[in-house]
Amino acid sequence: MSIIQEFKEFAVKGNMIDLAVGVIIGGAFGKIVDSLVKDIIMPLISVITGGGVDFSQKFIVLGENPDNLQSLDLLTKAGVNVLTYGNFLTILLNFIILAWVVFLMVKMINRMRRKQEEAPAAPAATPEDIALLREIRDELKKRPQA
């Protein structure tokens, strides 16, 4: 079997479509989590920790700051070495929320699978030859023994 034929079988089975759908939904879900963290959670944390703190602007200047710049944008444009720990905290929080949601989804799916496995399977229909043999057996039991 050639590689092209194998690829066609792979693509036709739906594996590529399932993967594409997963990537698209994952990307959209990532944007939702980013927005949740940036637009809802971080402002709330900012208010709790001292009112109006913007975590994306939290940084530590590493090295010299000859012009005594105070803005992250100005520092990065000037080429000053800056440790932007606020951005890291935001991305870390994004990851933790995303991991938690995925964990909950997997847990829910596993619970649903267990319920399906626990549900008793309907008894299989008795094959016709077995049913006929049982009828014959029952009829033989009814006849008087000689």
Side-chain angles (χ1 to χ4, degrees), residues 59 61 63-76 78 80 82:
F59 59 89
V61 177
E64 293 187 30
N65 184 1
D67 298 328
N68 201 22
L69 302 173
Q70 299 299 318
S71 166
L72 179 61
D73 292 335
L74 295 174
L75 287 165
T76 53
V80 176
V82 180

Side-chain angles (χ1 to χ4, degrees), residues 10-65:
F10 171 76
V12 172
K13 284 183 184 177
N15 294 339
M16 286 183 60
I17 293 171
D18 292 345
L19 180 62
V21 168
V23 168
I24 291 168
I25 290 176
F29 189 70
K31 289 180 182 180
I32 291 170
V33 170
D34 286 343
S35 176
L36 173 70
V37 171
K38 178 182 169 193
D39 301 330
I40 296 173
I41 294 175
M42 284 308 204
L44 290 174
I45 291 174
S46 175
V47 168
I48 292 169
T49 60
V53 177
D54 182 8
F55 277 92
S56 65
Q57 293 297 315
K58 291 294 187 182
F59 59 89
I60 297 173
V61 177
L62 302 174
E64 293 187 30
N65 184 1

Side-chain angles (χ1 to χ4, degrees), residues 115-123:
K115 284 183 181 180
Q116 286 179 348
E117 290 171 1
E118 291 173 2

Side-chain angles (χ1 to χ4, degrees), residues 95-111:
F95 171 76
I96 291 170
I97 291 171
L98 188 59
W100 178 253
V101 170
V102 169
F103 167 74
L104 292 177
M105 288 173 48
V106 168
K107 186 174 178 176
M108 181 180 65
I109 290 169
N110 287 339
R111 183 179 302 143

